[in-house]
């Protein structure tokens, strides 16, 4: 992403956008963590730590459209649809407010359910 102002140009990589989106998602209630974008290995989903947030997020930019895919693990006992909607809203808000990036779609892929500790 490129931002131009009176002082010059600012370049923001997709990895920075992915890290911000992952960090915003982790602030949502009912989310245990981010999952790897890779498919299940031996039926076990890999729970990512805070240092690997961008691995659970995929950013796609085509022409004037931006899409963000988040791979998440939700807490057992929470309503999955509500958690997913909260994550979508929070990520869209943070991307617009912090980065100034209009996000067209935030797609949620629930990779697992775990007991939150």
């Amino acid at each position: 992403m490129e931002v131009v102002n009176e002082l010059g140009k600012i370049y923001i990589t997709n990895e920075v956008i992915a890290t911000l989106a992952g960090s915003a998602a982790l602030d949502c209630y009912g989310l245990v963590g981010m999952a790897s974008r890779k498919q299940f290995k031996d039926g076990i989903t890999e729970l990512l730590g805070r240092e690997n947030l961008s691995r659970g997020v995929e950013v796609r930019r085509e022409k004037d459209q931006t899409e963000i895919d988040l791979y998440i693990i939700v807490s057992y006992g929470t309503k999955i649809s509500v958690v997913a909607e909260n994550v979508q809203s929070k990520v869209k808000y943070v991307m617009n407010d912090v980065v100034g990036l209009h996000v067209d779609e935030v797609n949620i892929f629930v990779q697992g359910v775990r007991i939150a500790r």
Side-chain angles (χ1 to χ4, degrees):
M1 176 180 163
E2 181 180 314
V3 178
V4 180
N5 63 22
E6 65 276 355
L7 300 174
K9 295 180 183 178
I10 302 168
Y11 297 97
I12 303 171
T13 65
N14 282 351
E15 187 167 334
V16 171
I17 293 170
T19 301
L20 286 171
S23 181
L26 284 181
D27 287 343
C28 294
Y29 175 78
L31 193 71
V32 174
M34 303 298 293
S36 177
R37 289 179 290 191
K38 300 174 189 171
Q39 290 298 321
F40 295 94
K41 290 182 178 178
D42 302 325
I44 299 173
T45 304
E46 180 185 2
L47 182 64
L48 301 174
R50 282 204 170 269
E51 65 278 355
N52 295 325
L53 288 178
S54 63
R55 285 182 44 206
V57 181
E58 184 177 345
V59 179
R60 288 189 310 279
R61 295 183 48 94
E62 294 180 19
K63 297 182 183 177
D64 292 338
Q65 288 200 328
T66 303
E67 294 181 13
I68 298 176
D69 295 342
L70 290 109
Y71 297 82
I72 64 171
I73 298 173
V74 298
S75 177
Y76 178 79
T78 58
K79 192 168 183 180
I80 295 172
S81 61
V82 172
V83 173
E85 288 174 11
N86 289 340
V87 171
Q88 285 175 320
S89 297
K90 177 76 174 190
V91 169
K92 272 192 153 188
Y93 172 77
V94 168
M95 289 296 105
N96 191 34
D97 192 50
V98 174
V99 182
L101 174 67
H102 172 73
V103 177
D104 297 293
E105 289 185 20
V106 177
N107 303 309
I108 306 294
F109 297 90
V110 178
Q111 298 286 67
V113 176
R114 295 215 179 144
I115 297 173
R117 294 183 184 172

